[in-house]
Amino acid sequence: MRRPIVAVTADTLLAEMKPINQKMADYAPRPLIDALGRNGFLPVILPYNDYAEAEELVGTFDALVLPGGPNPTPRFYHEDPIWSIRPTYEKRDKFEIDLIQACIKAGKPILGICRGLQILNVALGGTLWQDMQSQNSGAFIQHMQRAPGNIATHYIEVEKDTRLMDILGEGLYVNSRHREGIKKLAQGLRPAARTRDGVIEAVESEEGDLIAAVQWHPENMDPETMDPLFRAFMDRVLKHMGIEE
């Protein structure tokens, strides 16, 4: 059986890398690449491309992973940036939005992680809290944790009758490194998990199974706990490739 190729969209290091005299270096998180490889994928890092259309690129891979990174640019959901928003990079935003739409059209499964959940929501017409601490008075949990990033710090409650419940059960503790959050959920998505203060922590496509996304970083947590999430992604990909395990 051919191993599925999964494209992981790259972030771009805007600062100069002095040891190798490199500017605008593209990169993806090593723990995420390892988690995908450990669960059967052939991961490739896909940087934004000014010289190819998303439809051309989609033909080179079987599935898409949208990893963590900086805030999505607010203008993509028709807002102006507030004072407390962190740096954004609209080239990556536009690239990922185009890829999301092309993948949905082509029937290629998508997994979003942290920022990936947010850009999925934006691409499908939803909006975000740019900074929950200053904008969302109901968000009382520490969503930008001060504990080390691999430590699970707050609880999530998984919604009944979701694919996520079949994977992870009714609830568990997860890590949390985000200031943004879903404000208006995009049409076509449904909540799959929430924190005890009501913030959406996971989403799924309402119809079919093309889209799944989580707000935490499963690649940084214990593989025994989080590998089922990546294995379920593999199951979705094989199904859409027409391959039976």
mmCIF file of all heavy atoms in Angstrom, residues 8-40:
data_model
loop_
_atom_site.group_PDB
_atom_site.id
_atom_site.type_symbol
_atom_site.label_atom_id
_atom_site.label_comp_id
_atom_site.label_asym_id
_atom_site.label_seq_id
_atom_site.Cartn_x
_atom_site.Cartn_y
_atom_site.Cartn_z
ATOM 1 N N VAL A 8 2.151 19.748 4.931
ATOM 2 C CA VAL A 8 2.104 20.569 6.144
ATOM 3 C C VAL A 8 2.497 21.987 5.736
ATOM 4 O O VAL A 8 3.624 22.219 5.295
ATOM 5 C CB VAL A 8 3.080 20.039 7.214
ATOM 6 C CG1 VAL A 8 2.997 20.894 8.472
ATOM 7 C CG2 VAL A 8 2.797 18.580 7.531
ATOM 8 N N THR A 9 1.571 22.921 5.845
ATOM 9 C CA THR A 9 1.887 24.277 5.415
ATOM 10 C C THR A 9 2.954 24.888 6.321
ATOM 11 O O THR A 9 2.933 24.723 7.540
ATOM 12 C CB THR A 9 0.636 25.176 5.408
ATOM 13 O OG1 THR A 9 -0.038 25.070 6.664
ATOM 14 C CG2 THR A 9 -0.307 24.767 4.285
ATOM 15 N N ALA A 10 3.881 25.591 5.687
ATOM 16 C CA ALA A 10 5.027 26.144 6.400
ATOM 17 C C ALA A 10 4.729 27.521 6.964
ATOM 18 O O ALA A 10 3.944 28.285 6.406
ATOM 19 C CB ALA A 10 6.230 26.227 5.468
ATOM 20 N N ASP A 11 5.384 27.834 8.065
ATOM 21 C CA ASP A 11 5.475 29.202 8.539
ATOM 22 C C ASP A 11 6.748 29.801 7.939
ATOM 23 O O ASP A 11 7.597 29.084 7.411
ATOM 24 C CB ASP A 11 5.534 29.244 10.070
ATOM 25 C CG ASP A 11 5.017 30.561 10.634
ATOM 26 O OD1 ASP A 11 4.816 31.510 9.842
ATOM 27 O OD2 ASP A 11 4.810 30.637 11.844
ATOM 28 N N THR A 12 6.871 31.113 7.987
ATOM 29 C CA THR A 12 8.046 31.789 7.449
ATOM 30 C C THR A 12 8.704 32.599 8.547
ATOM 31 O O THR A 12 8.050 33.431 9.188
ATOM 32 C CB THR A 12 7.663 32.712 6.275
ATOM 33 O OG1 THR A 12 7.033 31.929 5.261
ATOM 34 C CG2 THR A 12 8.891 33.386 5.691
ATOM 35 N N LEU A 13 9.975 32.337 8.785
ATOM 36 C CA LEU A 13 10.722 33.084 9.792
ATOM 37 C C LEU A 13 11.109 34.429 9.187
ATOM 38 O O LEU A 13 11.972 34.510 8.311
ATOM 39 C CB LEU A 13 11.969 32.300 10.208
ATOM 40 C CG LEU A 13 12.764 32.884 11.373
ATOM 41 C CD1 LEU A 13 11.937 32.867 12.658
ATOM 42 C CD2 LEU A 13 14.053 32.099 11.574
ATOM 43 N N LEU A 14 10.459 35.485 9.653
ATOM 44 C CA LEU A 14 10.668 36.801 9.053
ATOM 45 C C LEU A 14 11.994 37.418 9.466
ATOM 46 O O LEU A 14 12.552 38.235 8.743
ATOM 47 C CB LEU A 14 9.506 37.726 9.423
ATOM 48 C CG LEU A 14 8.116 37.228 9.013
ATOM 49 C CD1 LEU A 14 7.056 38.235 9.410
ATOM 50 C CD2 LEU A 14 8.054 36.955 7.519
ATOM 51 N N ALA A 15 12.524 37.023 10.636
ATOM 52 C CA ALA A 15 13.809 37.544 11.088
ATOM 53 C C ALA A 15 14.954 36.795 10.391
ATOM 54 O O ALA A 15 14.801 35.658 9.954
ATOM 55 C CB ALA A 15 13.935 37.396 12.591
ATOM 56 N N GLU A 16 16.096 37.429 10.318
ATOM 57 C CA GLU A 16 17.263 36.811 9.689
ATOM 58 C C GLU A 16 17.836 35.716 10.584
ATOM 59 O O GLU A 16 17.937 35.858 11.799
ATOM 60 C CB GLU A 16 18.337 37.875 9.448
ATOM 61 C CG GLU A 16 19.587 37.346 8.759
ATOM 62 C CD GLU A 16 20.599 38.438 8.486
ATOM 63 O OE1 GLU A 16 20.251 39.626 8.635
ATOM 64 O OE2 GLU A 16 21.741 38.119 8.136
ATOM 65 N N MET A 17 18.198 34.574 9.971
ATOM 66 C CA MET A 17 18.864 33.491 10.687
ATOM 67 C C MET A 17 20.367 33.667 10.509
ATOM 68 O O MET A 17 20.940 33.290 9.483
ATOM 69 C CB MET A 17 18.421 32.130 10.155
ATOM 70 C CG MET A 17 16.968 31.804 10.431
ATOM 71 S SD MET A 17 16.502 30.177 9.765
ATOM 72 C CE MET A 17 17.498 29.107 10.796
ATOM 73 N N LYS A 18 21.019 34.257 11.485
ATOM 74 C CA LYS A 18 22.420 34.640 11.332
ATOM 75 C C LYS A 18 23.372 33.464 11.083
ATOM 76 O O LYS A 18 24.285 33.581 10.261
ATOM 77 C CB LYS A 18 22.874 35.459 12.541
ATOM 78 C CG LYS A 18 22.175 36.816 12.637
ATOM 79 C CD LYS A 18 22.757 37.663 13.749
ATOM 80 C CE LYS A 18 22.004 38.983 13.875
ATOM 81 N NZ LYS A 18 22.126 39.792 12.660
ATOM 82 N N PRO A 19 23.214 32.311 11.753
ATOM 83 C CA PRO A 19 24.198 31.235 11.527
ATOM 84 C C PRO A 19 24.311 30.794 10.068
ATOM 85 O O PRO A 19 25.379 30.408 9.616
ATOM 86 C CB PRO A 19 23.681 30.096 12.408
ATOM 87 C CG PRO A 19 22.898 30.789 13.471
ATOM 88 C CD PRO A 19 22.263 31.956 12.799
ATOM 89 N N ILE A 20 23.195 30.842 9.326
ATOM 90 C CA ILE A 20 23.265 30.417 7.927
ATOM 91 C C ILE A 20 22.960 31.574 6.968
ATOM 92 O O ILE A 20 22.775 31.362 5.774
ATOM 93 C CB ILE A 20 22.304 29.242 7.664
ATOM 94 C CG1 ILE A 20 20.851 29.632 7.994
ATOM 95 C CG2 ILE A 20 22.723 28.009 8.436
ATOM 96 C CD1 ILE A 20 19.843 28.558 7.608
ATOM 97 N N ASN A 21 22.906 32.789 7.492
ATOM 98 C CA ASN A 21 22.685 33.973 6.662
ATOM 99 C C ASN A 21 21.440 33.819 5.795
ATOM 100 O O ASN A 21 21.432 34.161 4.611
ATOM 101 C CB ASN A 21 23.911 34.252 5.775
ATOM 102 C CG ASN A 21 23.862 35.661 5.198
ATOM 103 O OD1 ASN A 21 23.299 36.568 5.809
ATOM 104 N ND2 ASN A 21 24.427 35.837 4.014
ATOM 105 N N GLN A 22 20.402 33.275 6.397
ATOM 106 C CA GLN A 22 19.164 32.999 5.674
ATOM 107 C C GLN A 22 18.079 33.979 6.086
ATOM 108 O O GLN A 22 17.911 34.279 7.256
ATOM 109 C CB GLN A 22 18.712 31.568 5.969
ATOM 110 C CG GLN A 22 17.395 31.170 5.350
ATOM 111 C CD GLN A 22 17.436 31.115 3.850
ATOM 112 O OE1 GLN A 22 17.127 32.114 3.180
ATOM 113 N NE2 GLN A 22 17.811 29.980 3.308
ATOM 114 N N LYS A 23 17.351 34.493 5.096
ATOM 115 C CA LYS A 23 16.200 35.348 5.352
ATOM 116 C C LYS A 23 14.954 34.679 4.786
ATOM 117 O O LYS A 23 15.008 33.973 3.787
ATOM 118 C CB LYS A 23 16.391 36.718 4.703
ATOM 119 C CG LYS A 23 17.550 37.525 5.289
ATOM 120 C CD LYS A 23 17.662 38.884 4.618
ATOM 121 C CE LYS A 23 18.814 39.680 5.201
ATOM 122 N NZ LYS A 23 18.968 41.001 4.541
ATOM 123 N N MET A 24 13.814 34.926 5.428
ATOM 124 C CA MET A 24 12.533 34.378 4.994
ATOM 125 C C MET A 24 12.584 32.851 4.912
ATOM 126 O O MET A 24 12.109 32.229 3.952
ATOM 127 C CB MET A 24 12.128 34.974 3.648
ATOM 128 C CG MET A 24 12.048 36.485 3.632
ATOM 129 S SD MET A 24 10.725 37.122 4.701
ATOM 130 C CE MET A 24 9.287 36.687 3.734
ATOM 131 N N ALA A 25 13.155 32.199 5.913
ATOM 132 C CA ALA A 25 13.256 30.737 5.919
ATOM 133 C C ALA A 25 11.886 30.120 6.224
ATOM 134 O O ALA A 25 11.163 30.578 7.106
ATOM 135 C CB ALA A 25 14.271 30.285 6.961
ATOM 136 N N ASP A 26 11.538 29.081 5.487
ATOM 137 C CA ASP A 26 10.283 28.359 5.690
ATOM 138 C C ASP A 26 10.528 27.150 6.583
ATOM 139 O O ASP A 26 11.547 26.470 6.452
ATOM 140 C CB ASP A 26 9.712 27.907 4.351
ATOM 141 C CG ASP A 26 9.370 29.088 3.446
ATOM 142 O OD1 ASP A 26 8.590 29.952 3.887
ATOM 143 O OD2 ASP A 26 9.886 29.138 2.318
ATOM 144 N N TYR A 27 9.579 26.867 7.489
ATOM 145 C CA TYR A 27 9.782 25.774 8.426
ATOM 146 C C TYR A 27 8.444 25.242 8.931
ATOM 147 O O TYR A 27 7.401 25.897 8.780
ATOM 148 C CB TYR A 27 10.641 26.224 9.610
ATOM 149 C CG TYR A 27 9.964 27.264 10.490
ATOM 150 C CD1 TYR A 27 9.288 26.885 11.644
ATOM 151 C CD2 TYR A 27 9.995 28.622 10.164
ATOM 152 C CE1 TYR A 27 8.660 27.827 12.450
ATOM 153 C CE2 TYR A 27 9.368 29.565 10.962
ATOM 154 C CZ TYR A 27 8.702 29.168 12.098
ATOM 155 O OH TYR A 27 8.080 30.095 12.886
ATOM 156 N N ALA A 28 8.485 24.042 9.494
ATOM 157 C CA ALA A 28 7.318 23.445 10.147
ATOM 158 C C ALA A 28 7.785 22.778 11.433
ATOM 159 O O ALA A 28 8.957 22.421 11.564
ATOM 160 C CB ALA A 28 6.648 22.431 9.219
ATOM 161 N N PRO A 29 6.897 22.593 12.405
ATOM 162 C CA PRO A 29 7.297 22.039 13.705
ATOM 163 C C PRO A 29 7.781 20.588 13.594
ATOM 164 O O PRO A 29 7.060 19.720 13.087
ATOM 165 C CB PRO A 29 6.014 22.124 14.544
ATOM 166 C CG PRO A 29 5.135 23.085 13.826
ATOM 167 C CD PRO A 29 5.476 22.970 12.382
ATOM 168 N N ARG A 30 8.979 20.313 14.080
ATOM 169 C CA ARG A 30 9.525 18.964 14.051
ATOM 170 C C ARG A 30 8.634 17.946 14.794
ATOM 171 O O ARG A 30 8.398 16.834 14.303
ATOM 172 C CB ARG A 30 10.944 18.970 14.619
ATOM 173 C CG ARG A 30 11.542 17.614 14.952
ATOM 174 C CD ARG A 30 11.459 16.615 13.806
ATOM 175 N NE ARG A 30 12.147 17.049 12.601
ATOM 176 C CZ ARG A 30 12.157 16.347 11.475
ATOM 177 N NH1 ARG A 30 11.502 15.186 11.407
ATOM 178 N NH2 ARG A 30 12.808 16.795 10.419
ATOM 179 N N PRO A 31 8.087 18.274 15.991
ATOM 180 C CA PRO A 31 7.232 17.286 16.662
ATOM 181 C C PRO A 31 6.012 16.886 15.827
ATOM 182 O O PRO A 31 5.550 15.746 15.903
ATOM 183 C CB PRO A 31 6.813 17.991 17.963
ATOM 184 C CG PRO A 31 7.903 18.976 18.207
ATOM 185 C CD PRO A 31 8.314 19.456 16.864
ATOM 186 N N LEU A 32 5.489 17.827 15.028
ATOM 187 C CA LEU A 32 4.346 17.516 14.173
ATOM 188 C C LEU A 32 4.764 16.594 13.028
ATOM 189 O O LEU A 32 4.065 15.621 12.710
ATOM 190 C CB LEU A 32 3.732 18.804 13.631
ATOM 191 C CG LEU A 32 2.573 18.644 12.650
ATOM 192 C CD1 LEU A 32 1.437 17.826 13.258
ATOM 193 C CD2 LEU A 32 2.068 20.009 12.193
ATOM 194 N N ILE A 33 5.900 16.882 12.408
ATOM 195 C CA ILE A 33 6.412 16.015 11.343
ATOM 196 C C ILE A 33 6.631 14.595 11.891
ATOM 197 O O ILE A 33 6.281 13.596 11.247
ATOM 198 C CB ILE A 33 7.724 16.582 10.775
ATOM 199 C CG1 ILE A 33 7.499 17.988 10.177
ATOM 200 C CG2 ILE A 33 8.323 15.651 9.743
ATOM 201 C CD1 ILE A 33 6.506 18.044 9.046
ATOM 202 N N ASP A 34 7.185 14.502 13.097
ATOM 203 C CA ASP A 34 7.426 13.197 13.707
ATOM 204 C C ASP A 34 6.117 12.465 14.003
ATOM 205 O O ASP A 34 6.010 11.249 13.787
ATOM 206 C CB ASP A 34 8.236 13.355 14.995
ATOM 207 C CG ASP A 34 9.688 13.749 14.739
ATOM 208 O OD1 ASP A 34 10.158 13.568 13.592
ATOM 209 O OD2 ASP A 34 10.337 14.230 15.684
ATOM 210 N N ALA A 35 5.122 13.184 14.516
ATOM 211 C CA ALA A 35 3.841 12.553 14.833
ATOM 212 C C ALA A 35 3.168 12.006 13.580
ATOM 213 O O ALA A 35 2.601 10.898 13.589
ATOM 214 C CB ALA A 35 2.918 13.552 15.537
ATOM 215 N N LEU A 36 3.241 12.742 12.490
ATOM 216 C CA LEU A 36 2.642 12.283 11.233
ATOM 217 C C LEU A 36 3.397 11.073 10.690
ATOM 218 O O LEU A 36 2.796 10.087 10.264
ATOM 219 C CB LEU A 36 2.644 13.425 10.217
ATOM 220 C CG LEU A 36 1.697 14.585 10.540
ATOM 221 C CD1 LEU A 36 2.020 15.796 9.668
ATOM 222 C CD2 LEU A 36 0.240 14.180 10.361
ATOM 223 N N GLY A 37 4.723 11.142 10.715
ATOM 224 C CA GLY A 37 5.517 10.012 10.251
ATOM 225 C C GLY A 37 5.303 8.771 11.084
ATOM 226 O O GLY A 37 5.207 7.652 10.550
ATOM 227 N N ARG A 38 5.208 8.951 12.394
ATOM 228 C CA ARG A 38 5.016 7.825 13.317
ATOM 229 C C ARG A 38 3.686 7.115 13.052
ATOM 230 O O ARG A 38 3.552 5.915 13.303
ATOM 231 C CB ARG A 38 5.061 8.359 14.746
ATOM 232 C CG ARG A 38 5.018 7.299 15.824
ATOM 233 C CD ARG A 38 5.269 7.910 17.190
ATOM 234 N NE ARG A 38 4.274 8.866 17.603
ATOM 235 C CZ ARG A 38 4.501 10.173 17.816
ATOM 236 N NH1 ARG A 38 5.711 10.680 17.652
ATOM 237 N NH2 ARG A 38 3.520 10.983 18.196
ATOM 238 N N ASN A 39 2.733 7.855 12.520
ATOM 239 C CA ASN A 39 1.407 7.291 12.281
ATOM 240 C C ASN A 39 1.146 6.970 10.805
ATOM 241 O O ASN A 39 -0.011 6.857 10.390
ATOM 242 C CB ASN A 39 0.342 8.238 12.839
ATOM 243 C CG ASN A 39 0.294 8.191 14.354
ATOM 244 O OD1 ASN A 39 -0.250 7.255 14.933
ATOM 245 N ND2 ASN A 39 0.900 9.176 15.014
ATOM 246 N N GLY A 40 2.233 6.826 10.037
ATOM 247 C CA GLY A 40 2.110 6.248 8.714
ATOM 248 C C GLY A 40 2.141 7.181 7.532
ATOM 249 O O GLY A 40 2.131 6.730 6.380
#
